[in-house]
Amino acid sequence: MEIVRIFNNNLVLALDNTGREVILTGRGLGFQARPGQVADPARIVRVFVPSDGRDPDHLAELLADIPPEQLQLVAAALTEAGLDKLVGNPALLIALADHIGFALRRQAMGMEVEYPLLAEVQHLYAEEYSRAQQLLAALNRMSEAELPPSEAVGLALHLVNTGFSTGDLSYTYTMTGIIQQMVAVIEQSFGLTLDTGSVSVGRFVTHLRYLFVRIHNHRQLDQQHSGVGVAIRQAYPEAAECAVRVARVLELRLDATLTEDELSYLALHIARVAADDD
């Protein structure tokens, strides 16, 4: 792979054999190297391939600012926790390394952060929370300081964030608040108290998360005059009315108007949640 830019002794930007920009890390990989040279394959430890249109040069700069041992700790912990597929995601690795670095410093100073979203994360993102607990356990086995159990909430939110196709964790906080509002609207519309840990609500949250990604990418489902959409609205009129109220939450919070197809599929999922929890 041809070196394009050298950030430090251990990190370079390069072109692979398809001409794609990739980030390479490895001890001494950039030492006395020059742009245009071929990267020494024996020194390459990790290859990061930026995705979602992220700027490789910017990601490489961010990675270069993180101590190599911190990146190694996070990568090793992800692997031990069975999350090795995420090691190649540079945006997530940067976010986790930065988060964990601050957490370790806080712990050394005797400071503990209280996460207000504990219950919401445990119920709305049960799978990510379970993975975060495994990741936290791996980190504690590998580092000298032991992080408190509450740090699993912060780690889980970073794992959730990877599914929202955005590098801004505040977007994940916003989505979590919107999901809570949507669940409240459904409960009020049908006179129910939903179990946020149930399978049906879990399916609904999964649908919402994909919907948020489509909204973020401006790629909502939009088959004009869809027969399926008409059939759904006719079969579940109460859920269709509820979907309109839920859509208003999105319009207010995200400044996004749902297409008729998105409204119809939202109504279908609302009908399933209401039926399962009735």
Side-chain angles (χ1 to χ4, degrees):
M1 286 185 272
E2 181 184 334
I3 296 174
V4 175
R5 183 179 174 188
I6 300 154
F7 289 87
N8 57 39
N9 286 341
N10 307 308
L11 189 147
V12 303
L13 186 69
L15 296 177
D16 66 10
N17 55 8
T18 67
R20 178 179 56 179
E21 287 186 315
V22 294
I23 302 166
L24 308 178
T25 64
R27 187 169 297 279
L29 187 61
F31 180 66
Q32 293 186 338
R34 295 286 184 274
Q37 290 181 345
V38 175
D40 183 354
R43 293 176 182 256
I44 298 173
V45 174
R46 297 194 185 281
V47 178
F48 297 106
V49 181
S51 58
D52 302 325
R54 299 178 191 274
D55 179 21
D57 205 65
H58 178 61
L59 285 174
E61 283 184 355
L62 293 175
L63 277 170
D65 286 338
I66 299 174
E69 61 275 9
Q70 205 163 298
L71 287 173
Q72 185 60 35
L73 171 64
V74 174
L78 283 168
T79 300
E80 184 173 319
L83 300 171
D84 46 295
K85 290 182 179 180
L86 299 179
V87 173
N89 183 330
L92 176 63
L93 202 65
I94 291 165
L96 285 175
D98 189 58
H99 177 99
I100 291 163
F102 276 113
L104 289 171
R105 285 195 288 276
R106 287 196 305 267
Q107 188 68 9
M109 292 168 24
M111 297 171 58
E112 185 171 343
V113 173
E114 292 291 332
Y115 288 94
L117 295 176
L118 175 60
E120 290 81 358
V121 171
Q122 285 177 324
H123 291 138
L124 297 178
Y125 311 126
E127 184 177 348
E128 284 87 354
Y129 184 70
S130 176
R131 290 176 176 175
Q133 287 180 305
Q134 296 170 13
L135 176 58
L136 180 62
L139 285 166
N140 283 338
R141 285 192 294 271
M142 295 178 176
S143 60
E144 296 180 2
E146 183 166 339
L147 297 175
S150 60
E151 283 298 335
V153 176
L155 297 178
L157 286 170
H158 282 292
L159 295 179
V160 170
N161 195 44
T162 62
F164 285 142
S165 298
T166 171
D168 186 1
L169 192 59
S170 65
Y171 190 78
T172 301
Y173 281 100
T174 300
M175 296 304 100
T176 304
I178 292 174
I179 291 172
Q180 289 178 279
Q181 285 184 269
M182 289 178 160
V183 169
V185 169
I186 296 171
E187 289 180 329
Q188 293 167 4
S189 298
F190 290 90
L192 298 171
T193 299
L194 297 176
D195 177 7
T196 53
S198 68
V199 173
S200 60
V201 173
R203 286 197 302 260
F204 179 62
V205 171
T206 298
H207 171 73
L208 291 179
R209 291 170 64 178
Y210 283 112
L211 171 59
F212 294 147
V213 171
R214 291 195 295 274
I215 290 173
H216 182 74
N217 293 332
H218 306 289
R219 302 176 75 174
Q220 290 190 49
L221 301 175
D222 192 11
Q223 298 282 334
Q224 292 187 3
H225 310 298
S226 168
V228 174
V230 172
I232 290 173
R233 291 193 293 274
Q234 289 177 344
Y236 306 107
E238 191 175 0
E241 290 180 9
C242 181
V244 171
R245 289 191 284 274
V246 167
R248 290 198 188 107
V249 174
L250 284 173
E251 190 169 352
L252 288 171
R253 296 291 301 276
L254 296 181
D255 193 27
T257 301
L258 293 188
T259 63
E260 288 298 318
D261 275 349
E262 293 289 7
L263 268 174
S264 297
Y265 286 111
L266 183 59
L268 179 61
H269 282 275
I270 289 172
R272 290 178 65 181
V273 169
D276 289 348
D277 286 81
D278 196 353

